[in-house]
Amino acid sequence: MACFTSCKSAGSSSEYKSYLFTYFTGNGPGEEAIRYALSSDGYNYYALNNNEPIVDSKVISTSGGVRDPHILRCEDGKTFYMVVTDLYVTEQGWRNYAMILMKSTDLINWTSTVINIPETFPEEFGDIHRVWAPQTIYDKETKQYMVYWSMQTGNNPDIIYYAYANEDFTGLKTTPKQLYFSPSNAACIDGDIIFKDGQYHLFFKNEDESKKGIMQAVSDNLTSGYKELEGFMNVTKKPVEGSSVFKLIDSDAFILMYDMYSSGKYQFTKSTDLKSFSVVDDAISMNFHPRHGTVLPITEKEEKALLNKWGKIGKSAFVSYNTEHVKKNNVVIDDENLSVFLPLKLNANVKSLDPKFELTPGISVTPEGSQDFSAGPLSYTFSTGNRTKTYKVSAEKNNNPVLDGFYADPEIIYSHKTKKYYLYPTSDGFTGWSGTYFKTFSSPDLVNWTDEGVILDLEKDVDWANRNAWAPAAIEKKINGEYKYFYYFTAAQKIGVAVSDTPTGPFKDSGQPLIAERPKGVKGGQEIDPDVFTDPVSGKSYLYWGNSYMAGVELNPDMVSVKKNTLVIFNPGRTFREGTEVFYRNGKYYFMWSEDDTRSPNYRVRYATSNSPLGPLNIPENNIVLEKRPEDGLYGTGHNSVIQTPDTDIWHIVYHRFNRPNGINMGDAAGFNREVCIDKLTFNPDGSIIPVKPTLTGISTIEK
């Protein structure tokens, strides 16, 4: 909200009971549209209209898409202005020429006008090719509504301009003027102004390559004299944009929120002085993923009208499940068949389970309390106003995924020192695989897992790389009578190695990458996805890696350097993509790899065998180990490791899959929102691998 205090002429802030969040969701088709969410406390937001648009972008825009919605309550307290960017990235890229001015008296029905800047001001701004992120604020001195936004021409930096709107908010009646003058002539976008203690605080995104982030400038005058404050207002070091400040109802605290666009999340921070901000993410929840939006306090009457219009009983009504026994990321809601499936952790009591449904405001549910799900689905009735729906709710113990949250590329070892298993995954859930740290998890039985915390943080522990922490591998090695743990990891598309005395770290990086360049003669691909293997026959250890090519090399006894002249480039065939995994059983060396792209639902695992750790490979005619199972909603099953229960012929495969049930509908984002699963791996008498059926239930004990 641009100016909370400008609303007070309509009455005291205590008249406002809740918050309206207006936002868009992404750059893809249908995502560049205005959406609504409600919150009763300013921290927990629930999408209206099943997270679908409340206005058709194609009707109000020239491009077919709208972004960056900013909403303002007018001085009369009853009229609302909204301004949005007229841009459809799918077709236009990041070039556009217009903004849209919108007006409403009920927050439901909107009139709109397109303002094409080059056409409106051909002499002054005929060569403009960016018109971004407009906002509106009431100018108390001139008693007019001022619209401000950023524009760019040629290769010049983006500049924040302003102009005054006409009386009916259908056009601009003054020629745009520069609002903010950057002392470093940096590109500035996403301006947001709030008035506090006699001063105007302008928050904006500084786009200078050496100084990117949310900054603030302050002035006693709305339209001039802004002086830049030192430092960044954003708390995170991740890329951010689209900041917006609003004041909490009946409080002296302000929320500064911003779009962490490369991390796939929003961050909320809190302040009382607009200078020092603390992160409050732990208090925030949303059942949607917003991009650049704004928040407006609303009355109880306005909230009820919005709920009557868009308070749907459906998938978006289910916000969370407050029992610790439900795997919240994997709940399946089927609106077509009116069913809900609750996957339970193994410690749940199916005969006495209270799902503790958390629903969007205005929706109630019966029955309440603990119920017996052991005999099959139960009927739950959900109501809002005069509308009701009854869903069949079932609950079942599912041990896949085995870890809470998003993780991928799992490596697993058994420690003879601690008599436990350890999982070493990629920390997932970051847009574009942008995670920077690694964790480990321990288990006595492959079933119950304990989070042992971060064992290596690129930004703190590695000098030669600080990005793309991917696909680790680990091994326990006894050296001079003492157990050592060697951790091979991908960082910035290179492979490093770190060492520890314990499987839970902390691990100390060697100080330089172990594999930093493509093998001679190899064209294309990346130096990623290490795998480490010790040959039980010779006692020698080997490192494998590669994307689009499979390489292997013998390691020296120190385990942190490679033996010269031992490099081999394998020929696994055209199905090889990445994720080599090597293990030994009954005289055979097994080589596994992943086919296709991790963003593809068809990502799957194949294998070959060899008589040597360095090949050549024998590829069976039917060599698929693991692939999708659409009938159970399981997709993207790949990038695995294999573990043998000590002193037995019991084997398990550890792999990742798309999130179930949302992954298949997430597009490319499914490839960085993955989950770790474990299933049994079995063999035919001739040693060939029996194809693995990925399961929901997973394993409950280590049994033959």
Side-chain angles (χ1 to χ4, degrees):
M1 188 180 70
C3 184
F4 184 87
T5 56
S6 72
C7 303
K8 288 188 176 179
S9 61
S12 69
S13 62
S14 61
E15 291 186 14
Y16 304 117
K17 300 298 183 184
S18 56
Y19 303 81
L20 173 64
F21 186 4
T22 180
Y23 59 95
F24 75 107
T25 57
N27 301 333
E31 295 177 338
E32 293 173 294
I34 301 166
R35 290 167 165 84
Y36 278 174
L38 291 178
S39 172
S40 61
D41 58 8
Y43 294 93
N44 301 283
Y45 292 85
Y46 315 120
L48 291 173
N49 199 32
N50 290 328
N51 200 29
E52 293 298 319
I54 58 97
V55 175
D56 188 342
S57 298
K58 294 183 176 63
V59 172
I60 64 173
S61 71
T62 59
S63 65
V66 300
R67 305 163 64 91
D68 320 316
H70 176 266
I71 192 167
L72 175 76
R73 185 188 299 273
C74 295
E75 288 295 288
D76 63 7
K78 301 175 182 178
T79 306
F80 303 91
Y81 290 159
M82 183 151 49
V83 286
V84 293
T85 306
D86 187 344
L87 174 61
Y88 185 46
V89 170
T90 301
E91 293 184 359
Q92 295 175 281
W94 296 107
R95 298 173 70 94
N96 76 312
Y97 309 94
M99 69 176 85
I100 302 166
L101 307 187
M102 303 172 64
K103 185 176 180 179
S104 175
T105 57
D106 59 7
L107 295 171
I108 295 171
N109 300 288
W110 292 90
T111 58
S112 62
T113 308
V114 173
I115 309 298
N116 184 295
I117 296 297
E119 291 179 0
T120 306
F121 306 101
E123 293 185 10
E124 301 90 345
F125 300 104
D127 56 352
I128 285 289
H129 58 76
R130 279 186 188 170
V131 178
W132 283 3
Q135 300 207 167
T136 310
I137 187 170
Y138 183 68
D139 186 337
K140 293 179 290 185
E141 297 298 323
T142 66
K143 300 187 183 330
Q144 300 176 93
Y145 289 93
M146 186 187 94
V147 181
Y148 57 102
W149 68 98
S150 64
M151 296 196 292
Q152 186 197 42
T153 61
N155 293 321
N156 297 316
D158 300 80
I159 293 173
I160 298 176
Y161 291 85
Y162 77 95
Y164 287 103
N166 59 20
E167 289 187 5
D168 60 1
F169 205 69
T170 58
L172 302 178
K173 66 179 184 181
T174 63
T175 302
K177 295 181 180 180
Q178 186 167 350
L179 176 68
Y180 176 63
F181 294 82
S182 168
S184 60
N185 198 36
C188 299
I189 62 172
D190 298 348
D192 180 55
I193 301 173
I194 189 164
F195 184 75
K196 181 183 185 300
D197 297 336
Q199 288 189 311
Y200 294 93
H201 299 256
L202 169 63
F203 291 78
F204 61 93
K205 166 72 178 296
N206 188 309
E207 285 278 87
D208 192 305
E209 284 300 327
S210 63
K211 200 177 183 181
K212 279 193 172 186
I214 306 300
M215 302 190 73
Q216 184 183 167
V218 179
S219 176
D220 296 331
N221 189 294
L222 175 60
T223 60
S224 64
Y226 285 95
K227 302 297 182 183
E228 186 177 292
L229 302 183
E230 291 187 7
F232 296 111
M233 301 300 108
N234 51 288
V235 179
T236 180
K237 294 181 180 180
K238 300 289 186 181
V240 296
E241 65 183 16
S243 66
S244 181
V245 181
F246 67 93
K247 193 171 186 292
L248 292 172
I249 298 169
D250 292 332
S251 169
D252 62 354
F254 294 83
I255 296 293
L256 167 65
M257 62 182 191
Y258 39 78
D259 183 357
M260 296 173 61
Y261 57 94
S262 70
S263 304
K265 63 176 289 187
Y266 238 73
Q267 184 161 82
F268 278 58
T269 63
K270 191 174 182 178
S271 174
T272 56
D273 60 9
L274 294 182
K275 295 178 182 178
S276 177
F277 295 88
S278 58
V279 174
V280 291
D281 286 352
D282 289 346
I284 305 302
S285 68
M286 300 179 185
N287 65 343
F288 57 98
H289 297 284
R291 298 290 312 279
H292 193 160
T294 49
V295 170
L296 175 75
I298 59 175
T299 66
E300 184 175 3
K301 181 180 178 180
E302 291 162 349
E303 180 187 53
K304 286 183 177 179
L306 291 171
L307 286 169
N308 286 334
K309 177 66 176 178
W310 287 305
K312 305 293 185 182
I313 302 173
K315 186 175 181 179
S316 67
F318 295 84
V319 177
S320 189
Y321 314 87
N322 291 323
T323 172
E324 62 179 358
H325 302 299
V326 171
K327 295 192 171 189
K328 299 179 182 181
N329 287 339
N330 304 107
V331 173
V332 181
I333 301 167
D334 185 343
D335 287 336
E336 182 178 350
N337 296 303
L338 295 178
S339 66
V340 177
F341 173 70
L342 303 175
L344 304 179
K345 299 178 182 179
L346 296 184
N347 60 356
N349 182 355
V350 181
K351 291 186 176 182
S352 180
L353 176 72
D354 182 359
K356 297 181 180 178
F357 291 108
E358 183 178 341
L359 304 166
T360 56
I363 298 179
S364 60
V365 59
T366 56
E368 295 181 337
S370 297
Q371 308 295 322
D372 183 357
F373 286 86
S374 63
L378 302 177
S379 293
Y380 277 76
T381 299
F382 300 87
S383 304
T384 181
N386 57 3
R387 296 191 296 271
T388 64
K389 275 188 180 180
T390 298
Y391 284 74
K392 292 290 186 180
V393 180
S394 58
E396 178 184 279
K397 293 182 181 182
N398 280 187
N399 204 32
N400 278 336
V402 295
L403 304 179
D404 291 333
F406 297 120
Y407 298 93
D409 313 320
E411 165 78 349
I412 190 168
I413 70 168
Y414 178 80
S415 170
H416 292 84
K417 179 179 181 178
T418 66
K419 310 303 180 188
K420 290 183 179 181
Y421 298 91
Y422 293 88
L423 263 175
Y424 300 93
T426 298
S427 297
D428 215 21
F430 299 98
T431 300
W433 309 287
S434 58
T436 58
Y437 63 86
F438 295 99
K439 301 180 77 171
T440 192
F441 300 81
S442 66
S443 173
D445 54 12
L446 291 178
V447 175
N448 301 287
W449 292 92
T450 299
D451 186 342
E452 299 287 356
V454 174
I455 58 171
L456 190 72
D457 187 328
L458 299 185
E459 295 180 334
K460 298 177 181 177
D461 306 325
V462 178
D463 293 332
W464 51 269
N466 62 2
R467 60 180 175 85
N468 301 126
W470 300 346
I475 197 166
E476 179 186 66
K477 191 90 170 182
K478 206 168 191 180
I479 298 178
N480 298 325
E482 299 290 334
Y483 284 110
K484 291 283 186 180
Y485 298 86
F486 298 89
Y487 188 73
Y488 304 85
F489 60 94
T490 305
Q493 288 73 49
K494 298 176 183 179
I495 295 171
V497 57
V499 185
S500 177
D501 293 328
T502 69
T504 56
F507 282 82
K508 182 175 177 56
D509 177 54
S510 67
Q512 61 185 3
L514 180 59
I515 305 295
E517 58 186 27
R518 197 170 298 136
K520 187 176 181 180
V522 172
K523 297 181 180 180
Q526 300 180 85
E527 289 61 68
I528 64 174
D529 295 3
D531 181 55
V532 61
F533 165 72
T534 295
D535 181 5
V537 177
S538 67
K540 297 178 180 179
S541 295
Y542 299 85
L543 183 72
Y544 307 87
W545 73 92
N547 161 278
S548 298
Y549 68 90
M550 182 194 286
V553 69
E554 185 179 336
L555 290 167
N556 286 319
D558 63 8
M559 299 295 286
V560 297
S561 61
V562 299
K563 186 175 182 181
K564 293 183 178 180
N565 303 318
T566 61
L567 176 68
V568 171
I569 304 299
F570 296 88
N571 183 18
R574 294 184 178 181
T575 64
F576 180 84
R577 179 61 173 264
E578 59 197 11
T580 304
E581 166 71 6
V582 179
F583 65 96
Y584 178 84
R585 177 184 181 270
N586 292 349
K588 287 185 179 181
Y589 299 88
Y590 290 79
F591 288 71
M592 290 181 171
W593 63 87
S594 292
E595 176 186 5
D596 211 329
D597 189 291
T598 191
R599 293 165 291 191
S600 167
N602 299 316
Y603 197 55
R604 58 185 179 176
V605 177
R606 291 184 181 268
Y607 84 102
T609 61
S610 179
N611 295 321
S612 161
L614 293 178
L617 302 181
N618 303 307
I619 303 177
E621 182 176 352
N622 299 311
N623 69 333
I624 292 178
V625 176
L626 177 73
E627 61 183 340
K628 66 183 178 183
R629 190 171 174 81
E631 57 267 39
D632 285 335
L634 304 179
Y635 298 91
T637 51
H639 202 128
N640 71 289
S641 58
V642 169
I643 189 70
Q644 178 186 17
T645 301
D647 303 319
T648 74
D649 194 31
I650 300 172
W651 297 78
H652 291 89
I653 184 169
V654 189
Y655 60 95
H656 72 235
R657 72 181 192 202
F658 284 1
N659 166 255
R660 179 185 187 268
N662 300 314
I664 193 59
N665 299 314
M666 294 175 69
D668 283 355
F672 37 82
N673 287 276
R674 299 161 293 181
E675 303 171 330
V676 172
C677 301
I678 300 178
D679 281 304
K680 283 205 70 175
L681 180 68
T682 56
F683 303 83
N684 289 310
D686 64 359
S688 59
I689 294 176
I690 298 173
V692 175
K693 172 186 173 182
T695 69
L696 299 174
T697 54
I699 61 172
S700 56
T701 57
I702 301 177
E703 297 178 350
K704 293 185 179 180

